[in-house]
Amino acid sequence: MPVAVKECAVTVRALAEGEQLVTLRKGGIREERKHFEVEHDRFFLYPTFEHQRNDVVRASHQPELRRALEEGVWPDAEPPAQALTRDGGILQPDRVRIRAWAEVACHYTIVDRRCVDALSPFYVWTPDYAEKRLAWKRRHPLHVLLLRTYRIPRPVTVKVRDEYFGCRSWLELQRELPFEGTPVLSDEEFGRVAEEIEAIAADATPAFA
């Protein structure tokens, strides 16, 4: 079955639009070894609303939170925009739209807060939220994945199954999906950004390339 990585819907949207180039992972409590591992180097992007909140996204990207609701399909209607301010996030929809997949272009592990801050131009979260990801499970480093993202020709709707819930990174989707599509950045643009990220992470530990 196709493999997907779970991310907040607004993050998936940003990756699919070329507005975010990295993802920062520590792993969820339901991971097999209790911390994140790069089990696949190519995967689909599965949008989740379980922890979607407006206070973790920087002000310049706040308008995208409303658009991120389009990644879900609810039985009646989309939740109201003000639901993004409530504790506990938004109820998961019946189905989600898969519109993109990604390849891991480079993988670093970091422990330095300054590195997380320097990478902030390449993600849409607030620096405070990114630093909290670093601080959680202090004995484990933060994984920085530089992703080359591709938009598939037509979004595919996938049923939200019980086994998809919970704090886990990897899912097996019960539907065939195509690894085809158009890169969100040109080769030239991506190469330039990759060099900038490599320069920032030069003192980090390269874990995969």
Side-chain angles (χ1 to χ4, degrees):
M1 292 291 100
V3 171
V5 71
K6 288 179 67 174
E7 266 291 3
C8 290
V10 69
T11 303
V12 169
R13 188 90 183 198
L15 288 165
E17 296 294 331
E19 297 168 355
Q20 177 154 326
L21 283 300
V22 299
T23 188
L24 312 178
R25 311 290 302 202
K26 266 290 181 79
I29 59 176
R30 296 186 65 181
E31 307 286 6
E32 184 175 348
R33 298 187 181 180
K34 304 302 181 185
H35 60 272
F36 179 77
E37 294 181 350
V38 181
E39 299 177 9
H40 308 274
D41 59 8
R42 185 172 71 164
F43 41 80
F44 290 93
L45 299 172
Y46 178 95
T48 181
F49 297 85
E50 290 173 282
H51 303 295
Q52 187 71 80
R53 304 196 316 271
N54 65 344
D55 60 336
V56 303
V57 176
R58 65 183 55 180
S60 61
H61 208 75
Q62 288 285 324
E64 295 301 310
L65 279 163
R66 186 68 182 85
R67 292 181 62 211
L69 293 176
E70 298 171 9
E71 306 306 301
V73 182
W74 283 266
D76 300 318
E78 288 181 358
Q82 59 266 31
L84 294 166
T85 66
R86 298 172 186 163
D87 292 339
I90 299 172
L91 290 177
Q92 284 293 85
D94 287 352
R95 291 169 290 160
V96 296
R97 294 185 174 97
I98 305 292
R99 67 177 71 246
W101 59 277
E103 293 177 326
V104 180
C106 199
H107 171 200
Y108 295 94
T109 55
I110 63 174
V111 296
D112 191 339
R113 180 180 60 82
R114 292 170 298 180
C115 186
V116 174
D117 291 344
L119 289 169
S120 63
F122 307 105
Y123 54 75
V124 300
W125 310 306
T126 63
D128 179 65
Y129 176 69
E131 289 174 15
K132 286 179 179 177
R133 283 198 168 189
L134 173 66
W136 190 59
K137 292 186 176 181
R138 287 188 178 275
R139 292 187 300 169
H140 299 290
L142 184 68
H143 294 262
V144 178
L145 276 64
L146 170 61
L147 300 180
R148 184 81 194 267
T149 304
Y150 299 77
R151 281 192 295 267
I152 63 178
R154 181 178 299 174
V156 176
T157 301
V158 173
K159 179 178 174 58
V160 176
R161 297 176 177 271
D162 290 343
E163 59 266 30
Y164 297 168
F165 286 89
C167 294
R168 64 174 77 242
S169 297
W170 300 102
L171 305 174
E172 287 190 356
L173 302 177
Q174 304 299 310
R175 177 168 182 173
E176 291 298 329
L177 293 169
F179 275 120
E180 59 185 37
T182 306
V184 299
L185 294 181
S186 68
D187 292 347
E188 181 179 357
E189 288 177 298
F190 186 79
R192 176 181 55 79
V193 171
E195 288 180 1
E196 292 180 27
I197 291 173
E198 182 180 4
I200 293 170
D203 294 331
T205 304
F208 173 87

